[in-house]
Amino acid sequence: MVTVNIGMLHYVIDHIYGAFMYRTKISPPFFSRGWGGSKLELLERMIKDLFPEVEGQNWPPTLIQPIWRTVWETRTACLREGIFRTTCDEQLISALPPESHTARVAFLAPKRVPPQKTACVVHLAGTGDHTFDRRLRLGGPLLKQNIATMVLESPFYGQRRPMLQRGAKLLCVSDLLLLGRATIEETRSLLHWLDSEGGFGKMGVCGLSMGGVHAAMVGSLHPTPVATLPFLSPHSAVVAFCDGILRYGTAWEALREDLAVQKTVMTLEEVRQRMRNVLSLTDVTRFPIPKNPNAVIFVAATDDGYIPKHSVLELQKAWPGSEVRWVTGGHVSSFLLHNDEFRRAIVDGLNRLEWKEPSL
């Protein structure tokens, strides 16, 4: 009788998927146009602006006024889509491609319950998640528990994708940092809108893979407790692009040639080290501990070929009081098979928050 190591099988599936996606040259690699020149320098300078010297200095963010249209409506629920101008400052807006200047959101909410007795979770995109559909399917069943879902379309994705970009393959390293910084700014504004205009009694932010990194950053920076729910997420983009399977889908030679044009001659190993240094800006362990770490629940996979266990545990260690839950599987299989676990984490994270006091 042949016994199969299921964990190894999940891990192998991740590598087969990665090999198919990144080694067959079916699609272009990440960062085929290089580092991003002055845009990268701008972002390296601006990352530290996320951490204010004085508590509350970066709050409140720009208040948005989305323009809404109703997609469908039943007796018990309503799906709307909205647009608003990105809430990034002018320096960042000038660095973003024009296609990314307008943010798009989908908003699925129950109708028969007042907002102060409803929770709402903002769902952020993982790598390659260009549409609202998958995240709406994840959040849809939670309507029965009075949990609304707001889905943000990431800059560089979906209708916000630059014309020259194919799929999710960002053209420059600076685009990855821009995508993250803009996502954080827009999500903070959405949470502010849900609180001040929507009147929701509880709020959360979740995301899968890259979206989970952004969710962790937003939850860390929020001035009041929010449920923070990173799923299948590393503590830093370094893990994904320098250690995990995505390293096979990165245009290392193009990055080396871009440096050579700037009169900087490096070996490929030195290029990889420079990438580590740049992406260390995304290390969430450097971010403040969220206001209620008890409402932080990580869901991680036991045999993830993209995200090693130690990466998840590093962030849990940096945020004492947070919880890690393990699902059996790899990155790809867990993404497909464990939506119920993700929903359970959303519900439990929100249950660990107090309801907001109604305003007089």
Side-chain angles (χ1 to χ4, degrees):
M1 180 179 172
V2 179
T3 57
V4 178
N5 183 329
I6 297 297
M8 180 56 72
L9 185 62
H10 287 301
Y11 188 79
V12 168
I13 287 170
D14 280 352
H15 279 267
I16 291 170
Y17 177 79
F20 179 74
M21 290 297 291
Y22 307 128
R23 292 183 176 183
T24 54
K25 310 300 183 194
I26 287 174
S27 62
F30 284 94
F31 317 133
S32 58
R33 300 269 176 121
W35 296 91
S38 58
K39 288 184 183 180
L40 182 59
E41 292 164 23
L42 167 72
L43 285 152
E44 287 178 299
R45 284 199 309 273
M46 292 186 78
I47 293 289
K48 63 178 182 292
D49 295 346
L50 283 169
F51 310 113
E53 298 297 320
V54 182
E55 185 82 9
Q57 187 176 298
N58 284 347
W59 197 262
T62 306
L63 185 61
I64 54 172
Q65 294 295 341
I67 299 166
W68 297 103
R69 71 176 184 88
T70 300
V71 179
W72 56 255
E73 196 167 2
T74 67
R75 285 185 305 109
T76 56
C78 177
L79 175 65
R80 293 188 291 165
E81 288 184 6
I83 58 170
F84 61 92
R85 180 174 163 80
T86 182
T87 49
C88 295
D89 66 24
E90 290 305 318
Q91 266 191 309
L92 279 172
I93 287 174
S94 65
L96 280 169
E99 297 92 337
S100 291
H101 289 185
T102 299
R104 293 177 65 240
V105 290
F107 188 26
L108 178 62
K111 281 172 61 176
R112 292 182 167 181
V113 187
Q116 63 268 26
K117 293 186 178 177
T118 307
C120 185
V121 176
V122 181
H123 292 238
L124 303 181
T127 302
D129 191 355
H130 288 272
T131 68
F132 297 138
D133 298 350
R134 190 200 67 78
R135 286 170 284 165
L136 286 173
R137 285 198 302 273
L138 178 62
L142 297 174
L143 284 172
K144 294 173 186 168
Q145 299 182 62
N146 297 331
I147 298 171
T149 292
M150 182 169 272
V151 180
L152 173 65
E153 181 181 70
S154 286
F156 295 91
Y157 278 17
Q159 292 186 27
R160 307 179 71 184
R161 188 178 70 190
M163 196 182 304
L164 295 176
Q165 179 186 308
R166 285 183 58 194
K169 301 303 171 56
L170 303 174
L171 297 173
C172 300
V173 176
S174 59
D175 293 347
L176 183 66
L177 296 180
L178 259 176
L179 186 162
R181 180 63 194 263
T183 297
I184 291 167
E185 297 295 348
E186 291 167 9
T187 307
R188 298 187 84 196
S189 290
L190 286 170
L191 287 171
H192 184 43
W193 183 88
L194 289 167
D195 183 31
S196 59
E197 301 289 307
F200 283 87
K202 291 183 183 182
M203 294 179 302
V205 58
C206 76
L208 197 140
S209 198
M210 174 183 74
V213 176
H214 297 152
M217 291 174 172
V218 171
S220 156
L221 296 168
H222 201 73
T224 58
V226 291
T228 303
L229 307 148
F231 304 144
L232 311 178
S233 301
H235 74 286
S236 161
V238 170
V239 177
F241 285 97
C242 300
D243 302 329
I245 292 169
L246 290 182
R247 71 183 184 274
Y248 300 120
T250 298
W252 297 110
E253 193 57 49
L255 292 168
R256 189 164 76 103
E257 289 169 6
D258 188 25
L259 289 168
V261 169
Q262 301 166 41
K263 307 290 189 286
T264 306
V265 179
M266 286 189 179
T267 65
L268 280 176
E269 195 47 53
E270 288 170 328
V271 172
R272 289 190 175 94
Q273 188 54 50
R274 170 161 164 72
M275 179 72 93
R276 286 179 182 277
N277 294 340
V278 169
L279 295 186
S280 67
L281 294 168
T282 67
D283 185 344
V284 190
T285 64
R286 297 169 58 242
F287 280 60
I289 298 173
K291 294 294 182 286
N292 182 354
N294 190 42
V296 178
I297 301 175
F298 305 99
V299 180
T302 51
D303 300 281
D304 195 322
Y306 288 75
I307 314 300
K309 289 180 181 177
H310 72 81
S311 180
V312 181
L313 296 174
E314 274 185 51
L315 191 46
Q316 184 199 24
K317 183 180 174 185
W319 290 355
S322 61
E323 179 188 353
V324 176
R325 296 181 179 180
W326 297 97
V327 293
T328 302
H331 200 76
V332 175
S333 60
S334 298
F335 167 83
L336 297 171
L337 300 175
H338 289 301
N339 281 336
D340 284 344
E341 291 299 325
F342 301 147
R343 291 187 194 105
R344 193 169 295 123
I346 290 171
V347 171
D348 292 347
L350 290 167
N351 282 341
R352 295 173 186 181
L353 297 175
E354 300 292 328
W355 287 99
K356 187 176 74 175
E357 293 293 327
S359 51
L360 299 174

